[in-house]
Amino acid sequence: AYERKCRYFCRKTNSVVVSVGYRLAPKHPFPAQFEDCLTAAIHFLRTAQDHGVDPSRIVICGDSSGGTLTAAVAQALVNRRDLPKLRAQILIYPFLQCVDFNLPSYQQNERVPILLKERTLVLGLKYVNIDLGMIKELFKGCHVSEDQRLKYQKWVSPDYIPHEFKTRGYKPSPTYLPSKEVCEVAKPMFDPVFSPLLAEDSVIAQLPETFILTCEFDVLRDDGLLYKKRLEDHGVKVTWCHLQEGFHGTV
């Protein structure tokens, strides 16, 4: 599915392109996918010159869940003093957070193919091996404890989505009480490897220059907008491309 895209990137950018064939869930449980991508990135950073690549010019890139993995790998590398620094990261309509599934983009695009709102949750739960019967509770936000709500509200909130992205309709969601049982089961979803938007400020501040692509008709649009804000708040240079007619999977 990705060979032609990789060849295209290779030709158009005059770059060496390495595509990581990471193991897939549910056969290989989370975080095997992240571990495979991190292992591949570290290996290439160490051996770049063997492939005719300048180690100071390595960029990592991914779309959708690959964007999640790209963000997580970039975060994992920020404190590595034994490796060259990444030149940049490219995040193409990435999934980045599990705190709020009622952001404006989730409300506006919940029935827009190919990534319907419910499908997003189904795929995410299968990825971390959580019972699909919890979807309704997740939609309500019952998986977020009071402590987590207080901690994450400064990073994940509809208040940080610019007004122009709310004009197609947005209603603030009612707040439901957290369920202790659901919160316990949902714990893996708050790992920054799964939800990179939830990484600590000390990590975000060290990230490399970033390119983010968002699509108007995509439930994940606001994840990209929120990450853009966090990076810029910490002085990370961000190039942002928004496809006004774009939808998830458009690449």
Side-chain angles (χ1 to χ4, degrees):
Y2 278 82
E3 183 180 1
R4 286 182 63 194
K5 293 178 185 69
C6 290
R7 288 180 179 274
Y8 178 84
F9 286 141
C10 189
R11 282 198 313 273
K12 292 291 185 181
T13 64
N14 191 29
S15 301
V16 171
V17 174
V18 178
S19 180
V20 183
Y22 56 85
R23 291 168 292 169
L24 301 178
K27 182 179 179 182
H28 299 282
F30 168 86
Q33 300 70 27
F34 162 74
E35 290 165 354
D36 287 353
C37 291
L38 181 61
T39 299
I42 290 170
H43 176 73
F44 193 76
L45 284 162
R46 283 180 173 149
T47 61
Q49 288 175 325
D50 297 347
H51 303 278
V53 173
D54 179 346
S56 69
R57 297 181 66 191
I58 295 173
V59 177
I60 57 173
C61 170
D63 73 312
S64 194
S65 57
T68 315
L69 292 165
T70 298
V73 168
Q75 291 179 4
L77 293 173
V78 295
N79 289 316
R80 293 291 295 258
R81 302 289 173 248
D82 58 325
L83 297 168
K85 290 286 185 191
L86 290 174
R87 172 64 185 85
Q89 61 174 342
I90 296 174
L91 310 178
I92 300 171
Y93 39 72
F95 171 93
L96 296 169
Q97 62 84 30
C98 68
V99 175
D100 190 344
F101 297 113
N102 289 295
L103 291 169
S105 61
Y106 269 104
Q107 289 190 18
Q108 294 161 352
N109 303 309
E110 65 178 331
R111 294 184 181 87
V112 176
I114 54 174
L115 196 63
L116 311 178
K117 177 174 175 176
E118 187 164 328
R119 180 177 291 171
T120 308
L121 266 290
V122 168
L123 292 171
L125 294 179
K126 283 185 175 180
Y127 183 38
V128 283
N129 200 25
I130 292 176
D131 181 5
L132 298 183
M134 292 198 169
I135 282 183
K136 286 184 179 175
E137 303 301 309
L138 293 172
F139 282 156
K140 292 179 180 177
C142 299
H143 63 300
V144 188
S145 70
E146 288 299 336
D147 287 348
Q148 287 170 326
R149 207 180 297 275
L150 286 170
K151 177 177 180 178
Y152 298 135
Q153 66 184 5
K154 62 183 182 291
W155 302 331
V156 183
S157 168
D159 296 344
Y160 302 138
I161 304 300
H163 175 72
E164 62 264 30
F165 293 103
K166 298 175 181 173
T167 55
R168 282 199 291 125
Y170 165 68
K171 290 183 180 177
S173 301
T175 302
Y176 294 90
L177 289 173
S179 157
K180 195 171 182 180
E181 179 194 353
V182 176
C183 288
E184 188 61 33
V185 174
K187 268 184 181 176
M189 299 176 71
F190 295 92
D191 183 335
V193 169
F194 183 86
S195 297
L197 186 57
L198 307 184
E200 296 298 333
D201 288 339
S202 58
V203 173
I204 298 291
Q206 297 183 72
L207 287 168
E209 186 175 347
T210 301
F211 176 94
I212 297 175
L213 183 138
T214 54
C215 293
E216 179 61 28
F217 299 101
D218 180 8
V219 290
L220 301 183
R221 180 197 69 202
D222 294 350
D223 283 23
L225 295 177
L226 292 172
Y227 205 48
K228 172 181 177 286
K229 180 182 186 305
R230 276 205 77 192
L231 290 165
E232 290 176 337
D233 285 350
H234 286 279
V236 177
K237 184 180 177 185
V238 178
T239 301
W240 172 51
C241 174
H242 182 67
L243 301 183
Q244 197 62 46
E245 302 295 323
F247 53 89
H248 196 88
T250 200
V251 166

